[in-house]
Amino acid sequence: WIHIDNNYTIPIWDPIVHTNLTNAKIKTYKMMKGMKIDWARDPDDPRFHIFPGTPIKGRPLHTHKFHLKGTGVWEHYFLPPNDFVPGDLSCKKKPIVMMEEDHIVPGLHGNAPWATRAWRYSEVPNILLRDLEWDEWFKPQRIRGAELTERYIRFNPMMERRAHCSFPNTEFSLGMHIRHGDKYIEREVINTSRFLAFAKAFVMNGGGSIYVATDSSKVINRIMNKWPTNVVEHVIHQPAVKGLTSNGTAAFNLGVSAHRTNVEALTDVLALSKSTFFLHGLSAMSEAVLYLNPGLVERSINLEDDKYKRYRPKTFVESMMPLGKNDIKN
């Protein structure tokens, strides 16, 4: 069961939608309090960075009344991960374990060796593993991410409908995630011309729809107005998106409703996961797509990876597109 309290995660929490102003009654439930999460260290880490460990008893367990603030955020977009609801009698005598902020950042975010990451933003040497190519570095993380996603992440019907309406024909399709915005701070901003080369080859060899997801209004304008007409005829994108930047500002810092940008971003993630082939750079959204559809990994190209710098559209047509045709047959 997942509940995100009011104002806890600023980029995704919406002060209007998630505050639940229409329901003044605060939900309460009773469980046992007194457990905490210990700290752990990786013996292979010479600097001994700490991250969340096992739950331990911090003080004698005692019954405590907990108060839930807001709508909890989660169920606006996803189904509950299980049948538990606050106040369930089966859990009244069970302890609740709560993370402190340090457990999450830097604990989970930067230090935990078993956490998934979208690029090398950790300071821990045995997490960075710079001698590995990106595909090799990502492989165990993508396996864990896919397992957790299959177990806990289920989009609600509203999100499923939005993704289907945005991307109705997914057969033998190409998904593109073109992240610009504030990406220049830590990663490479990939020019649309790099994507165009593959789009042309895809269309010329019997490709279907090309779904474009981006955080940049400039990217959409360039594609729709500058790309060849025979390619643009295949391009679709989520309509009426508000969370589009025209400069180096992140989409969640544009002043647009956080709920709106949540819906738009998750619609793109779900839609892209339905594509047959996938072009992308280093991005949390791109990794989420591959967690939702792990079979897409072998039919995806990370254009930010040096391994693919000289990867030509001809190679894509000859080596990767047949994999998509085999997938359709199966």
Side-chain angles (χ1 to χ4, degrees), residues 118-120 134 138 177 179 183 186-188 190 280-284 286-287 302-305:
W119 65 93
R120 289 183 172 104
W134 280 115
F138 275 126
H177 183 219
R179 174 83 157 85
K183 190 184 179 189
E186 293 184 289
R187 292 154 287 157
E188 177 188 350
I190 306 169
H280 63 96
L282 297 173
S283 163
S286 295
E287 290 306 300
N302 177 5
L303 294 177
E304 220 164 322
D305 188 342

Side-chain angles (χ1 to χ4, degrees), residues 188-315:
E188 177 188 350
V189 174
I190 306 169
N191 196 287
T192 53
S193 61
R194 184 84 168 105
F195 289 87
L196 174 58
F198 288 94
K200 286 180 177 178
F202 178 71
V203 170
M204 289 177 61
N205 288 274
S209 298
I210 300 174
Y211 186 90
V212 175
T214 183
D215 60 346
S216 170
S217 58
K218 290 183 177 180
V219 166
I220 291 295
N221 290 335
R222 176 167 289 278
I223 288 174
M224 303 309 292
N225 297 313
K226 300 292 185 182
W227 280 18
T229 302
N230 69 313
V231 176
V232 173
E233 288 173 349
H234 289 253
V235 173
I236 55 175
H237 58 90
Q238 188 180 166
V241 172
K242 295 290 186 182
L244 292 177
T245 181
S246 60
N247 49 40
T249 304
F252 53 77
N253 284 330
L254 292 174
V256 178
S257 157
H259 173 64
R260 173 100 187 209
T261 55
N262 291 346
V263 168
E264 291 173 351
L266 290 171
T267 297
D268 278 342
V269 168
L270 184 54
L272 286 169
S273 74
K274 310 291 186 182
S275 59
T276 312
F277 310 100
F278 185 36
L279 301 180
H280 63 96
L282 297 173
S283 163
M285 275 184 59
S286 295
E287 290 306 300
V289 169
L290 298 175
Y291 296 165
L292 282 167
N293 183 1
L296 192 54
V297 171
E298 68 171 358
R299 302 190 304 276
S300 67
I301 301 174
N302 177 5
L303 294 177
E304 220 164 322
D305 188 342
D306 288 340
K307 174 181 175 181
Y308 293 107
K309 292 293 185 183
R310 296 183 180 180
Y311 192 89
R312 296 290 177 255
K314 181 181 178 182
T315 311

Side-chain angles (χ1 to χ4, degrees), residues 27-38:
K27 294 180 181 178
T28 63
Y29 66 99
K30 291 182 179 180
M31 287 184 71
M32 304 300 289
K33 188 176 182 180
M35 297 286 288
K36 66 177 185 178
I37 297 178
D38 200 6

Side-chain angles (χ1 to χ4, degrees), residues 12 31 55 58 71 75 91-92 127 129 145 152-153 174 206 215 217 244 247 293 296-297 304:
I12 67 169
M31 287 184 71
T71 63
E75 291 179 32
C91 294
K92 195 171 183 179
I127 289 177
L129 300 174
Y152 296 113
I153 307 297
L174 174 63
D215 60 346
S217 58
L244 292 177
N247 49 40
N293 183 1
L296 192 54
V297 171
E304 220 164 322

